[in-house]
């Protein structure tokens, strides 16, 4: 039974039926009275088994509906179905503020956040492809001696006999089994034992000796002793004799024999993996041998990291970047012990396979030629590897390599990796909730992503995507547009229905932009700079092909190209790091290049990326931008605070004194779930307010410090309108489109785009010199069409002051608004790294070889 606003529903025969006879169909998710965060008590029906896009301006309530209501309730109900141990945490899990949700399926959230930052985590391990590779190499890999390169095989006695019987008739054989290899001693006891067993000859230090004579060895000298089992003349009827002799030699010789053939080379046989030439003996060939997270497989020098720890460097004055850039001298950065690296599949080691790009690896495994026996063993494993590689290609990640560290992936790349992994799982009847999966994708690659989302839907799943990308919105089966504004001005459903109807809706801001009734105009003129240019010559880090790139100063430059074409390598890894070294004495190692000219016109470089502004809930927009310093100072100046002797420190949740000690100022407590992700619950002591009771007794205009942190930027701007330092900094946050976020919103809850705009606001709040280079990586992440114009206004303000702005971007509205474009390509990975076109947007649009120009041509019309 379920109750909503006096209506009673009974579940029967697969259908929810109310007391008045109305039915709640199972082909949709029904939401009644959703009030989570800024949602305005909304009622909504979402069709199941469809691709549904949630769109709207930033802060309009999209994530509150998708993640904090629908997904959160799905997760809560899942825990409710588990064991009594798991259910004990239910009462501490926040229940979404909603009256009723029916028709929920098991839910999986795929967000930009959450990719592992563990240095041992790679694309291969995250996608589980590496697990299948380990199994493949263990079962059908061919071990070789890591010294001489000879293939090492184990053979049964019967296989050895069959091979010997193929020798020409009349061949004369001598079977030798090694007993002692390079060890000191007299070995009287061993020789006596052999005599007693009936053997007549041994080979000592290369000379065959008769056991019937007295043999005295120098105990201080190293000896090689081999057992000579018999001489065999190859002629009819000797098969049994050879078999008996081999079995005897194998038993005494620890599974290894050398068969001397007259007028030819010795043949070496072994029942175990060993190379007699180099005394190399192999451990068991199991999947564990290929794991760099296991002592069985990890390189003993670096422990599987691929680089040496700080303790192994000669001085303590070494940066983490320098440590990571210096490969381990023993494994050369390949992480595995030499035995594992000497096992080959199709002529490659497992490390060589993981160094391939996804696209190259797929071609390698599709072209693998196996023996019938290998095919029977590896068929299922190879199928899994090929399918998973294919899924990664389908989401536009063909340029990544399997050994790429997870920590180096952008948020959009991490999200698409998890999306590909989910497709590989083959689940049906699941509710997937995704957060802007198109981030980081060129328009050409976005079409493949859409095909992937539709494939996930066609498996029988419901796919809800929070997205601004026009292609994704127009490709949806169903669109929900939230708004009309952000924060308190949002939280309403403006439109719900098919995308073609959205284009006609007069009340939807999204519909007006998609239909072209509203547009971001092309600038009336382009800046030409005139103060010189930054010229980087011979750039060849990663996939860059020794290119020379010229970026004019005092203009707005956009760097474009398909995913993996080398944009970040050129601008972040090479240009930014070099400028940071020379202007700020930074320690990060820059990508390889020949020369950099034009730097004398600059005095500062600022990188504004999408990395989190902090790892814990103590970090938030107010602390990061410095706003909280002025708030704490204001509270400390209040008469009651002065009477009590409270200083600024009293109003900080980072130090003891004024904070709640139960949660140490975080407002939440982490509950370890062991077999499930950790659950964060509100602190019982302070009820999430972070401070103790005495601190909260101090109020400014009726608000305590906790209530101030709960204000949105827009609310705080009005509240502190008479306090100039606060008003100035709050206005900058509003200018970059963050008027809807709370001052004390925990850093981990901010999206990559929001974190980037917080960083941008902090830089805008500083005094600029007019000689600064600002570098931004996809600043439109999370922005609605209507907000991109505001961002462009902010960037143009920087350029108008004489600064240089360089933006890595895929958004056409930003690209068409730039003064200058550098387009890289033509493809991703090894197929990229070249300058395809450069110049004004009009010049790039005229290029016949540029994918960006192809799409830009339409945008400029």
């Amino acid at each position: 039974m379920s109750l909503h606003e006096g209506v009673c529903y009974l579940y029967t025969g697969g259908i929810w039926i109310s007391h008045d006879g109305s039915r709640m169909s199972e082909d949709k998710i029904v939401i009644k009275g959703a009030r989570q965060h800024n949602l305005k008590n909304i009622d909504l029906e979402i069709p199941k088994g469809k691709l549904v896009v949630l769109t709207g301006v930033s802060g309009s309530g999209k994530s509150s509906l998708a993640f904090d209501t629908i997904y959160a309730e799905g997760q809560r109900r899942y825990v409710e179905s588990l064991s009594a141990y798991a259910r004990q945490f239910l009462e501490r899990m926040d229940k979404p503020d909603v009256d009723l949700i029916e028709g929920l399926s098991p839910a999986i959230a795929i967000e930009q956040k959450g990719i592992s930052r563990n240095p041992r985590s790679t694309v291969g391990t995250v996608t589980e492809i590496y697990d299948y590779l380990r199994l493949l190499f263990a079962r059908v890999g061919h071990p070789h001696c890591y010294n001489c390169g000879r293939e090492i095989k184990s053979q049964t006695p019967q296989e050895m006999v069959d091979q010997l019987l193929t020798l020409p008739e009349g061949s004369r054989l001598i079977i030798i089994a090694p007993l002692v290899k390079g060890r000191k001693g007299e070995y009287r006891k061993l020789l006596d034992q052999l005599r007693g067993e009936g053997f007549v000859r041994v080979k000592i230090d290369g000379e065959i000796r008769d056991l019937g004579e007295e043999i005295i060895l120098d105990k201080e000298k190293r000896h090689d002793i081999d057992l000579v089992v018999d001489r065999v003349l190859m002629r009819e009827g000797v098969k049994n004799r050879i078999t008996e002799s081999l079995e005897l030699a194998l038993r005494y010789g620890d599974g290894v024999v050398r068969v001397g053939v007259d007028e030819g080379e010795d043949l070496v046989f072994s029942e175990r993996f060993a190379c007699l030439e180099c005394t190399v003996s192999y451990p068991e060939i199991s999947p564990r041998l290929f794991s760099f997270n296991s002592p069985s497989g990890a390189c003993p020098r670096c422990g599987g990291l691929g680089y040496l720890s700080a303790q192994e460097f000669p001085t303590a004055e070494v940066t983490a970047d320098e440590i990571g850039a210096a490969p381990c001298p023993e494994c050369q950065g390949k992480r595995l012990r030499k035995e594992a690296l000497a096992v080959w599949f199709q002529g490659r080691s497992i490390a060589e396979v993981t160094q391939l790009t996804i696209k190259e690896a797929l071609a390698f495994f599709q072209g693998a030629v196996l023996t019938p026996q290998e095919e029977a063993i590896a068929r299922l494993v190879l199928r899994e590897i090929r399918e998973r590689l294919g899924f990664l290609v389908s989401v536009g990640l063909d340029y990544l390599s399997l050994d790429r560290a997870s920590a180096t992936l952008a948020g959009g790349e991490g999200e698409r990796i998890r999306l590909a992994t989910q497709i590989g799982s083959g689940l049906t009847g699941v509710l997937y909730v995704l957060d802007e999966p198109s981030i980081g994708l060129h328009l050409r690659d976005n079409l493949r992503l859409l095909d992937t989302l539709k494939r996930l839907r066609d498996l029988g799943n419901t796919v809800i995507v929070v997205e601004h990308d026009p292609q994704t919105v127009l490709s949806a089966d169903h669109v929900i547009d939230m708004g009309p504004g952000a924060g308190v001005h949002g939280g309403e459903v403006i439109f719900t229905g098919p995308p073609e109807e959205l284009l006609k809706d007069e009340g939807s801001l999204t519909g007006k932009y998609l239909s072209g009734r509203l547009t971001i105009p092309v600038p009336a003129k382009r800046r030409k700079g005139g103060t010189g240019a930054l010229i980087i010559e011979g750039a060849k880090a990663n996939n860059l092909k020794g290119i020379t790139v010229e970026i004019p100063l005092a203009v707005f430059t956009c760097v474009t190209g398909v995913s993996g074409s080398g944009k970040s390598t050129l601008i972040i890894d090479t240009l930014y790091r070099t400028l940071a070294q020379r202007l700020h004495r930074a320690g990060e190692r820059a990508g390889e290049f020949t020369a950099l000219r034009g730097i004398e016109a600059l005095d500062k470089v600022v990188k504004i990326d999408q990395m989190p502004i902090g790892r814990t809930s103590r970090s938030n927009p107010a602390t990061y931008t410095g706003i909280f310093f002025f708030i704490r100072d204001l509270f400390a100046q209040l008469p009651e605070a002065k009477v009590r002797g409270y200083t600024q420190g009293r109003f900080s949740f980072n130090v003891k004194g004024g904070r709640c000690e139960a949660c140490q100022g975080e407002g939440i407590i982490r509950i370890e779930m062991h077999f499930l992700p950790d659950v964060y619950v509100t602190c019982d002591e302070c009820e999430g307010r972070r401070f103790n009771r005495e601190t909260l007794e101090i109020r400014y205009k009726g608000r305590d410090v906790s209530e101030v942190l709960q204000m949105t930027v827009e609310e705080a701007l009005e509240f502190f309108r008479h306090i100039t330092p606060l008003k100035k900094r709050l206005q900058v946050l509003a200018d970059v489109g963050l008027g809807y976020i709370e001052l004390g919103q925990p850093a981990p809850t901010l999206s990559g785009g929001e974190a980037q705009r917080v960083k941008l606001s902090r830089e805008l709040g500083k005094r600029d010199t007019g000689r600064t280079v600002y570098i931004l990586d996809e600043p439109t992440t999370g922005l609605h069409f209507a907000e991109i114009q505001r961002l462009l206004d902010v960037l143009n303000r920087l350029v108008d002051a004489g600064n240089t702005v360089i933006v890595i971007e895929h958004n056409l509205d930003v690209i068409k608004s730039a003064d200058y474009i550098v387009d890289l390509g033509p493809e991703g990975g090894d197929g990229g790294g070249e300058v395809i076109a450069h110049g004004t947007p009009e010049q790039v649009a005229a290029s016949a070889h540029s994918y960006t120009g192809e799409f830009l041509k339409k945008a400029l019309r």
Side-chain angles (χ1 to χ4, degrees), residues 71-72 264 300 334 340 715 726:
Y71 169 68
K334 295 177 180 177
E715 291 169 336
L726 275 170

Side-chain angles (χ1 to χ4, degrees), residues 195-259:
R195 289 188 190 98
E197 294 286 342
F199 293 105
V200 294
R201 283 175 293 279
V202 290
K203 186 178 182 182
I204 300 177
D205 300 333
E207 179 187 354
I208 292 182
R209 306 278 296 271
D210 194 318
L211 283 171
E213 66 185 54
E214 185 179 6
I215 300 173
I216 301 174
L217 300 179
D218 185 347
K219 67 178 180 181
E220 298 300 324
K221 183 181 176 183
R222 296 182 182 276
H223 301 287
D224 293 333
I225 302 176
D226 299 313
L227 174 64
V228 180
V229 175
D230 204 349
R231 285 187 174 85
V232 181
L233 292 178
M234 293 295 294
R235 58 181 181 271
E236 190 176 351
V238 299
K239 179 178 179 181
N240 290 339
R241 189 175 177 191
I242 294 175
T243 303
E244 291 170 3
S245 299
L246 272 174
E247 288 178 347
L248 192 63
L250 287 168
R251 185 166 70 247
Y252 276 87
D254 195 23
V256 180
V257 297
R258 182 192 301 273
V259 181

Side-chain angles (χ1 to χ4, degrees), residues 486-557:
V488 295
H489 305 298
E492 300 176 30
V493 177
I494 302 302
F495 171 86
T496 177
E500 54 269 22
E501 294 298 320
L502 174 66
L503 300 179
K504 306 172 190 174
D505 194 282
E506 288 297 327
S508 168
L509 195 59
T510 305
K512 289 178 180 177
Y513 275 98
L514 286 173
S515 66
R517 301 198 299 278
L518 285 178
T519 60
I520 294 174
V522 176
K525 61 178 183 177
R526 310 283 184 192
R527 300 180 189 87
K528 293 186 179 179
T531 60
L534 271 174
I535 303 173
I536 188 160
E537 300 176 355
K540 50 186 175 182
N542 295 337
N543 66 335
L544 299 180
K545 306 288 195 304
I547 58 176
T548 294
V549 178
E550 182 174 329
I551 299 175
L553 296 175
V555 302
F556 174 20
T557 296

Side-chain angles (χ1 to χ4, degrees), residues 465-762:
V465 182
V466 176
E467 189 59 90
H468 296 290
D469 172 66
Q471 282 181 310
T472 308
V473 176
L474 293 174
S475 300
D477 301 313
H478 190 85
V479 179
I480 300 168
D481 188 30
M482 302 294 293
V488 295
H489 305 298
E492 300 176 30
V493 177
I494 302 302
F495 171 86
T496 177
E500 54 269 22
E501 294 298 320
L502 174 66
L503 300 179
K504 306 172 190 174
D505 194 282
E506 288 297 327
S508 168
L509 195 59
T510 305
K512 289 178 180 177
Y513 275 98
L514 286 173
S515 66
R517 301 198 299 278
L518 285 178
T519 60
I520 294 174
V522 176
K525 61 178 183 177
R526 310 283 184 192
R527 300 180 189 87
K528 293 186 179 179
T531 60
L534 271 174
I535 303 173
I536 188 160
E537 300 176 355
K540 50 186 175 182
N542 295 337
N543 66 335
L544 299 180
K545 306 288 195 304
I547 58 176
T548 294
V549 178
E550 182 174 329
I551 299 175
L553 296 175
V555 302
F556 174 20
T557 296
C558 230
V559 181
T560 63
V562 298
S563 306
S565 58
K567 303 182 296 295
S568 295
T569 298
L570 174 66
I571 301 302
I572 305 294
D573 299 345
T574 306
L575 180 61
Y576 165 72
R577 290 186 176 185
T578 303
L579 291 175
Q581 285 173 359
R582 298 187 184 181
L583 296 175
H584 309 307
R585 297 184 179 179
E588 287 186 295
R589 187 187 299 267
E592 188 179 353
F593 65 98
T594 305
L596 177 64
R597 293 187 278 127
I599 193 172
E600 61 278 355
L602 305 172
D603 64 2
K604 189 166 71 166
V605 63
V606 175
K607 179 183 70 170
I608 304 170
D609 58 22
Q610 296 188 20
M611 294 299 289
I613 60 173
R615 298 289 182 189
T616 70
S617 61
R618 290 199 191 92
S619 180
N620 56 57
T623 57
Y624 188 83
T625 58
I627 288 172
F628 198 40
F629 170 83
F630 294 99
I631 293 173
R632 291 191 291 116
D633 185 59
L634 174 64
F635 272 84
Q637 296 301 322
L638 295 174
E640 189 174 351
K642 287 187 173 183
V643 168
R644 297 190 184 193
Y646 290 172
T647 63
Q648 271 199 29
R650 181 79 195 193
F651 301 96
S652 169
F653 42 72
N654 287 321
V655 295
K656 290 182 179 180
R659 72 181 184 184
C660 168
E661 288 303 324
C663 62
Q664 296 186 325
E666 294 205 34
I668 55 175
I669 293 175
R670 180 169 66 96
I671 304 293
E672 289 189 20
M673 296 291 285
H674 302 295
F675 58 93
L676 288 173
D678 293 342
V679 172
Y680 292 87
V681 298
T682 303
C683 173
D684 291 335
E685 186 72 25
C686 67
E687 298 180 340
R689 301 176 73 185
R690 300 172 174 249
F691 298 92
N692 59 34
R693 185 178 58 195
E694 291 75 17
T695 305
L696 296 174
E697 288 172 353
I698 307 299
R699 293 178 173 270
Y700 172 73
K701 292 169 67 172
R703 303 282 186 100
D704 61 41
V705 66
S706 175
E707 290 169 330
V708 168
L709 288 172
Q710 290 170 12
M711 289 180 179
T712 64
V713 169
E714 191 177 64
E715 291 169 336
L717 196 53
E718 172 63 24
F719 188 73
F720 294 115
R721 65 183 181 277
H722 299 304
I723 302 176
T724 304
L726 275 170
K727 182 181 177 182
K728 179 183 174 183
R729 286 163 174 79
L730 288 165
Q731 186 62 55
V732 176
L733 275 170
D735 288 345
V736 296
L738 293 177
Y740 62 92
I741 66 170
E742 292 182 359
L743 295 181
Q745 186 169 333
T749 68
L750 295 172
S751 69
E754 287 169 336
Q756 187 175 33
R757 294 198 296 281
V758 169
K759 294 176 184 179
L760 179 59
S761 74
R762 184 167 79 165

Side-chain angles (χ1 to χ4, degrees), residues 433-469:
V433 186
L434 292 89
D435 184 16
E436 290 199 82
S438 69
I439 291 169
L441 277 182
H442 191 272
L443 288 161
R444 185 201 66 169
D445 303 314
N446 200 31
L447 297 173
R448 287 190 293 179
L449 172 67
L450 288 171
D451 289 339
T452 302
L453 294 175
K454 291 173 182 176
R455 180 174 180 176
L456 201 60
R457 172 202 64 189
D458 294 342
L459 285 172
N461 302 300
T462 303
V463 182
I464 298 179
V465 182
V466 176
E467 189 59 90
H468 296 290
D469 172 66

